[in-house]
C-alpha cells in the first residue's frame, strides 16, 4: 500500500521540484547546439569547393591551401567533439584561413569574376548568418537552463540529479561574419591587366 502511494506521488514530487522542467530546458539547449553543429558542418563542406575553384587560377598558393585544410580539419574535429568553446575557436581559425584564401583572389581578376567563386562566397556568407542565428538561439536556451537550475528549489534537484550548467557559445570577435574582400573594381577584359583593387585600411 505504501509503495503504491509513493509511486503515485512520485510524479507530483518530481514536477514540484522542477525535475521535468530541467529536462525540458536541457533538451532545448541540446537541440539548439545541434543546429550550430549542422551549420558549422555545412560551412566546412563548402570549403573544398572554394579551395578547388581558387586552385584553378592560383595553383602556387600552397601555404594558404594547407592552412585552410588544417583549419577545416580542426573544425570538423571540434564539431564531432561537441564542445561549444572548441567549436567557436575552430570556427574562428577557419575564418582567418578563409580570409587569406579569399584575399588571394585580388591578384587574379578572372577568379574574382568566376561565377562559382562568387556563388561559394555567397553561400559562405549565408551560412555564417545561419551560424550566428543558431548561436543566439543556443545561448538563449543555455541562459534559460542555467538560470533555472540555479534557482530554488530546483537547484536542489539539479544537484541531486547531477544537472550542471551548460557552456555558452562565445564567438571570437569578428568571426560571426564571413570574410569578404572588396571587389569594387570591375574585372578587366580578357587579355588586359586589371588595375589594383584598393584594400581597406
Amino acid at each position: 500500500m505504501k509503495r503504491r502511494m509513493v509511486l503515485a506521488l512520485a510524479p507530483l514530487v518530481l514536477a514540484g521540484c522542477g525535475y521535468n522542467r530541467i529536462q525540458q530546458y536541457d533538451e532545448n539547449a541540446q537541440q539548439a547546439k545541434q543546429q550550430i553543429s549542422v551549420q558549422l558542418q555545412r560551412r566546412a563542406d563548402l570549403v573544398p569547393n572554394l579551395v578547388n575553384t581558387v586552385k584553378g587560377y592560383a595553383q602556387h598558393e600552397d601555404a594558404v591551401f594547407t592552412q585552410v585544410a588544417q583549419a577545416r580539419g580542426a573544425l570538423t574535429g571540434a564539431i564531432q567533439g561537441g564542445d561549444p568553446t572548441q567549436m567557436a575557436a575552430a570556427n574562428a581559425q577557419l575564418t582567418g584561413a578563409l580570409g587569406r584564401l579569399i584575399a588571394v583572389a585580388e591578384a587574379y581578376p578572372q577568379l574574382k569574376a568566376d561565377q562559382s567563386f562568387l556563388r561559394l562566397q555567397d553561400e559562405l556568407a549565408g551560412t555564417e548568418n545561419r551560424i550566428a542565428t543558431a548561436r543566439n538561439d543556443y545561448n538563449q536556451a543555455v541562459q534559460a537552463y542555467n538560470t533555472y537550475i540555479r534557482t530554488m528549489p530546483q537547484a536542489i534537484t539539479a544537484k541531486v540529479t547531477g544537472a550542471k550548467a551548460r557552456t555558452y557559445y562565445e564567438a571570437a570577435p569578428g568571426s560571426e561574419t564571413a570574410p569578404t574582400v572588396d571587389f569594387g573594381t570591375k574585372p578587366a577584359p580578357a587579355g588586359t591587366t586589371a588595375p589594383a583593387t584598393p584594400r581597406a585600411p
Side-chain angles (χ1 to χ4, degrees), residues 22 31 37 49-50 61 70 79 133 151 175 183 188:
I22 290 174
Q31 290 178 0
S37 297
N49 290 334
L50 182 66
E61 302 288 346
Q70 291 174 342
I79 292 170
T133 298
T151 306
S175 64
F183 293 158

Side-chain angles (χ1 to χ4, degrees), residues 65 106 131 201:
F65 299 145
E106 290 199 33
I131 291 171

Side-chain angles (χ1 to χ4, degrees), residues 142-167:
V142 167
Q143 182 181 30
Y145 169 76
N146 287 352
T147 300
Y148 190 76
I149 66 172
R150 289 171 178 158
T151 306
M152 295 296 290
Q154 51 267 21
I156 298 174
T157 304
K159 185 174 182 179
V160 171
T161 60
K164 299 185 182 301
R166 281 181 167 271
T167 303

Side-chain angles (χ1 to χ4, degrees), residues 99-116:
R100 289 184 286 276
L101 177 69
I102 292 174
V104 168
E106 290 199 33
Y108 301 89
Q110 290 181 328
L111 171 58
K112 292 193 294 185
D114 185 284
Q115 292 302 308
S116 294

Side-chain angles (χ1 to χ4, degrees), residues 19-168:
Y19 177 82
N20 292 339
R21 187 61 64 86
I22 290 174
Q23 302 308 309
Q24 178 185 346
Y25 281 151
D26 187 52
E27 184 62 25
N28 289 345
Q30 181 61 30
Q31 290 178 0
K33 188 178 80 168
Q34 183 60 28
Q35 280 304 308
I36 295 177
S37 297
V38 168
Q39 298 306 328
L40 288 176
Q41 186 62 56
R42 184 175 186 276
R43 187 186 196 206
D45 291 343
L46 288 171
V47 170
N49 290 334
L50 182 66
V51 169
N52 289 334
T53 301
V54 175
K55 276 184 178 179
Y57 296 88
Q59 299 178 4
H60 305 295
E61 302 288 346
D62 292 338
V64 176
F65 299 145
T66 298
Q67 290 174 353
V68 172
Q70 291 174 342
R72 180 182 181 272
L75 178 58
T76 301
I79 292 170
Q80 293 175 350
D83 180 80
T85 301
Q86 293 179 2
M87 288 194 293
N91 190 46
Q93 180 183 353
L94 181 59
T95 295
L98 286 177
R100 289 184 286 276
L101 177 69
I102 292 174
V104 168
E106 290 199 33
Y108 301 89
Q110 290 181 328
L111 171 58
K112 292 193 294 185
D114 185 284
Q115 292 302 308
S116 294
F117 179 76
L118 296 174
R119 176 181 54 80
L120 287 166
Q121 280 212 179
D122 286 343
E123 290 187 34
L124 281 170
T127 300
E128 278 301 302
N129 290 335
R130 286 188 283 272
I131 291 171
T133 298
R135 184 193 71 222
N136 290 337
D137 291 344
Y138 170 73
N139 284 342
Q140 289 177 6
V142 167
Q143 182 181 30
Y145 169 76
N146 287 352
T147 300
Y148 190 76
I149 66 172
R150 289 171 178 158
T151 306
M152 295 296 290
Q154 51 267 21
I156 298 174
T157 304
K159 185 174 182 179
V160 171
T161 60
K164 299 185 182 301
R166 281 181 167 271
T167 303
Y168 288 95

